[in-house]
Amino acid sequence: MELCKLMKWKLSRGKFRPRLQQMVESNSEDLIISASKKAFKHLPNLKKAVEELTVLKAVGPATASAVLTAGAPDQVAFMADESMQALPGLMPLQYTLGFYLQYMDQIKQILKILQKEDKTWTAHQVELTLWTFQFLKLNDPPLLIEAMEGSSKRKQENSNGDAKSNKKLKSYILCALIVSVKSILKLK
């Protein structure tokens, strides 16, 4: 079952709780399919979508966000600790539906700004951007500074109207994403 694989992935990223894996495995395949179909039908209403998935054993808002992100990355972001830590006003972290909705409100605000320049941005890409920013901030600040400075230079070159440079910039996605996060976080 995909939900079991997803739980193994999720537990490998954070605090390991073997009981959760056993609990998620106790859900019947029919119940998982039914809950998932109902959840995706409720999108873009995140509250209802998450509530449909949390009827499953061992599925809280964070796991529900992972399921929804896998199926609708344009609309949903995973509730990753690092992504939430990168946003102002979301500390201390909570793993409740209300907190997830607050997080997603900020993701949507950032997404709206980014999509003014590039319509291809998704909620999941914003989440990954925030995750990368926070990870580098904590684990390799010099690389973060180097990436931000290098991407700023590329963005300036890019603004001279060279369409080829615009496409090239996407190949430097890490740097471009970090600069985007940096400028957006300054807006707050």
Side-chain angles (χ1 to χ4, degrees), residues 54-124:
T54 56
V55 301
L56 299 169
K57 291 177 194 153
V59 175
T63 303
S65 75
V67 170
L68 293 168
T69 300
D74 55 318
Q75 300 176 60
V76 187
F78 174 54
M79 196 177 185
D81 289 358
E82 296 83 355
S83 301
M84 294 186 295
Q85 290 166 345
L87 291 168
L90 289 183
M91 294 299 282
L93 298 183
Q94 299 172 36
Y95 302 94
T96 64
L97 177 55
F99 193 84
Y100 177 62
L101 296 174
Q102 285 181 308
Y103 164 67
M104 281 303 302
D105 284 344
Q106 288 199 35
I107 294 284
K108 288 176 187 176
Q109 288 174 7
I110 294 168
L111 186 58
K112 187 176 179 180
I113 293 166
L114 292 172
Q115 285 182 337
K116 286 180 183 176
E117 287 188 39
D118 182 351
K119 298 276 187 223
T120 64
W121 276 92
T122 67
H124 181 52

Side-chain angles (χ1 to χ4, degrees), residues 11 16 19 22 41 77-78 89 104 110 115 122 139 155:
L11 292 174
F16 184 68
R19 183 78 181 113
Q22 293 168 343
K41 283 182 183 175
F78 174 54
M104 281 303 302
I110 294 168
Q115 285 182 337
T122 67
N139 296 294
K155 196 167 185 174

